[in-house]
Amino acid sequence: MKLDSRQLRYLTSEDWRVLTAVEMGSKNHELVPTVLIAQIAGLRGGSGVHKSIATLAKSGLVAKIKNAKYDGYRLTYGGLDYLSLNTLRKSDTVFSLGNQIGVGKESDIYVVADPTGKQLVLKLHRLGRISFRTVKANRDYLRNRTTGSWMYLSRLAAMKEYAFMQVLKREGFPVPEPIAQTRHTLVMELIDSFPLRSIDNVSDPLKLYGELMELIVRLAKVGLIHGDFNEFNLLIKEDPVTKKSTPILIDFPQMLSTTHENAQWYFDRDVNCIKLFFSRRFNFTSDEPGPFFADAIKDTDQSKRLDIEVEATGFSRKMAKDLDRFVEAVGFTNEAEEEATGAQEAVDGQEDEEDDEDYSEDDEEATTSQTAQEDQTEQELAEQTHTD
Ligand code: ADP
Ligand code: MG
């Protein structure tokens, strides 16, 4: 879905109140009754509310649910995007919206500018826009989710990512500086770089390889496994003067603790992703075996367990559990594996027009059969695009 901010300035303050009311009402209602919208917005149920609702619906920020038992509206991802942009604008975090630079499996990435013109990155999480290809046993878990619950999970992904970026940055890890987080979005430093994936030659593969393995081990020593450590999520930044290149790690919603029951498996997968990439791309294979999980966690500094620290912040254990259930249900192939199996393809910056705003199948499609839904998801998967 395209984030089109043009409407932002045409919305009246009443429209905003109504949109905010729909968001608030969504906490308890999948479909927010029109009377409740009017009540929360503090507007009399007269023509004002209806006019605002009509404007919002026309812009795709709220939507009706087909065959609903009562008159009401729900928030769309477009509406949630607008609310987030408005919050970021009011706090002077974001002044203008620039180009989209990434269409991920489950996120959209835009360049934005702050009021001084400095460029930043806005990441919008879009859980629910997934490939169900890998999902067998847990189809019901995914299918039965409502739009609201996808939005909740997207918010969790943004919160988790932001929380980890904050502690990692503080501890001196090479990650973008986190700047703000609201709802399903976060704002961070723009890294002027190329993803490792698009780099054909490095002057010293041994050195870069060593740095990356060291990074995986350093993470494990503070209790963390990235879980998707690969050429898509490593940005290579080159110092314009010294020409020295530094890897910067991004993309943290799947980060897990070294105490996770499958920690070793995830650790090995991160290590092997890099090994495989280096051998294929740079024809480089290290003489040294490992690194090994058992060695990496041997001298963990218990006072610096970032996995425990993050759990103690706003991103609670309950939230972590909710998000983990989703991650498990999706089966969690990583991006490198997805590409290897042809599940995603690169695009030339063209966004799919049909790529719609709401990917949950719970409402409008409520009457279609199970198979029809599956067909639809397969088709969506075939149309899916990826540029990172
Ligand atoms: P996803 O979860 O969709 O994979 P990522 O966080 O990996 O999202 O971002 C997708 C792509 O967007 C990255 O591969 C990278 O090209 C670009 N990107 C993301 N964050 C930044 C950043 N801070 N600076 C520059 N480019 C970024
Ligand atoms: Mg990524």
Side-chain angles (χ1 to χ4, degrees):
M1 156 187 132
K2 266 249 150 38
L3 177 56
D4 180 355
S5 64
R6 273 173 304 186
Q7 297 276 349
L8 265 174
R9 66 186 88 134
Y10 299 119
L11 296 184
T12 63
S13 61
E14 252 178 32
D15 297 341
W16 280 111
R17 275 171 84 147
V18 170
L19 186 60
T20 308
V22 176
E23 182 185 40
M24 287 171 73
S26 301
K27 296 204 170 103
N28 304 313
H29 299 264
E30 174 62 6
L31 180 68
V32 192
T34 306
V35 282
L36 183 63
I37 298 174
Q39 215 178 62
I40 301 176
L43 302 167
R44 302 243 165 261
S47 63
V49 177
H50 291 288
K51 191 163 161 259
S52 287
I53 289 179
T55 305
L56 298 172
K58 213 171 123 221
S59 315
L61 306 181
V62 301
K64 262 192 180 312
I65 298 184
K66 236 180 235 167
N67 303 326
K69 296 199 182 70
Y70 55 88
D71 186 36
Y73 291 83
R74 66 177 174 81
L75 194 64
T76 64
Y77 261 103
L80 196 65
D81 291 351
Y82 263 41
L83 287 164
S84 307
L85 274 178
N86 201 38
T87 300
L88 294 169
R89 217 177 44 166
K90 282 202 305 215
S91 62
D92 274 342
T93 311
V94 169
F95 179 73
S96 64
L97 181 69
N99 289 333
Q100 183 165 11
I101 54 167
V103 187
K105 233 179 349 174
E106 285 161 283
S107 77
D108 287 329
I109 313 277
Y110 286 84
V111 174
V112 294
D114 76 3
T116 69
K118 187 176 172 206
Q119 292 195 315
L120 304 169
V121 160
L122 169 70
K123 179 168 180 178
L124 302 109
H125 282 275
R126 305 214 184 279
L127 270 61
R129 186 173 70 186
I130 48 161
S131 80
F132 286 5
R133 182 179 57 90
T134 52
V135 182
K136 288 265 166 347
N138 293 300
R139 276 183 189 272
D140 286 347
Y141 165 81
L142 294 167
R143 178 169 304 116
N144 295 333
R145 301 206 72 88
T146 59
T147 309
S149 74
W150 283 124
M151 289 178 181
Y152 168 67
L153 288 174
S154 295
R155 180 160 71 87
L156 294 190
M159 285 175 74
K160 177 174 175 182
E161 180 154 44
Y162 189 71
F164 277 112
M165 281 172 80
Q166 280 184 310
V167 293
L168 288 171
K169 189 73 193 169
R170 188 198 68 207
E171 293 301 318
F173 281 87
V175 301
E177 183 180 354
I179 291 164
Q181 189 266 317
T182 177
R183 300 180 178 84
H184 63 316
T185 72
L186 63 150
V187 177
M188 64 183 122
E189 175 190 2
L190 171 74
I191 306 292
D192 186 11
S193 60
F194 291 102
L196 179 57
R197 176 185 185 237
S198 65
I199 292 181
D200 292 325
N201 288 298
V202 282
S203 53
D204 192 349
L206 172 67
K207 186 163 161 288
L208 181 59
Y209 177 88
E211 279 175 14
L212 296 179
M213 291 305 170
E214 204 182 290
L215 185 51
I216 293 177
V217 170
R218 230 179 112 199
L219 285 167
K221 288 203 186 306
V222 293
L224 297 176
I225 298 168
H226 183 274
D228 208 0
F229 197 98
N230 58 48
E231 65 273 22
F232 297 91
N233 293 328
L234 286 157
L235 304 179
I236 307 296
K237 186 176 162 184
E238 193 179 76
D239 187 299
V241 183
T242 63
K243 298 282 173 219
K244 185 186 163 342
S245 50
T246 321
I248 310 281
L249 183 60
I250 57 165
D251 203 357
F252 307 97
Q254 69 295 314
M255 197 94 156
L256 54 132
S257 163
T258 46
T259 57
H260 185 280
E261 55 178 354
N262 298 321
Q264 170 157 5
W265 186 85
Y266 284 107
F267 180 92
D268 290 344
R269 188 175 69 175
D270 279 1
V271 168
N272 290 330
C273 261
I274 297 301
K275 285 188 194 267
L276 187 65
F277 179 75
F278 269 69
S279 107
R280 282 187 182 159
R281 179 66 59 88
F282 307 127
N283 209 4
F284 170 87
T285 310
S286 171
D287 300 334
E288 271 186 55
F292 299 107
F293 181 62
D295 298 333
I297 57 167
K298 222 182 276 162
D299 41 297
T300 300
D301 179 353
Q302 293 301 333
S303 67
K304 280 250 157 73
R305 284 273 303 277
L306 302 185
D307 54 334
I308 294 175
E309 182 182 336
V310 167
E311 214 173 63
T313 63
F315 191 73
S316 70
R317 193 172 285 210
K318 152 99 171 64
M319 290 172 166
K321 231 186 205 149
D322 286 347
L323 194 57
D324 285 351
R325 275 184 58 205
F326 163 76
V327 167
E328 277 158 27
V330 180
F332 224 122
T333 50
N334 65 14
E335 284 171 294
E337 286 168 2
E338 290 271 336
E339 199 193 45
T341 53
Q344 300 175 353
E345 30 181 76
V347 287
D348 49 15
Q350 288 286 317
E351 246 234 293
D352 191 343
E353 289 291 319
E354 317 250 316
D355 190 4
D356 118 347
E357 57 175 80
D358 274 331
Y359 353 99
S360 98
E361 295 160 26
D362 54 312
D363 40 26
E364 276 87 1
E365 301 294 334
T367 52
T368 49
S369 74
Q370 187 155 316
T371 1
Q373 286 192 5
E374 281 169 24
D375 287 350
Q376 189 199 347
T377 13
E378 298 298 338
Q379 198 187 338
E380 274 167 13
L381 177 63
E383 289 167 359
Q384 205 168 13
T385 53
H386 195 78
T387 50
D388 64 357

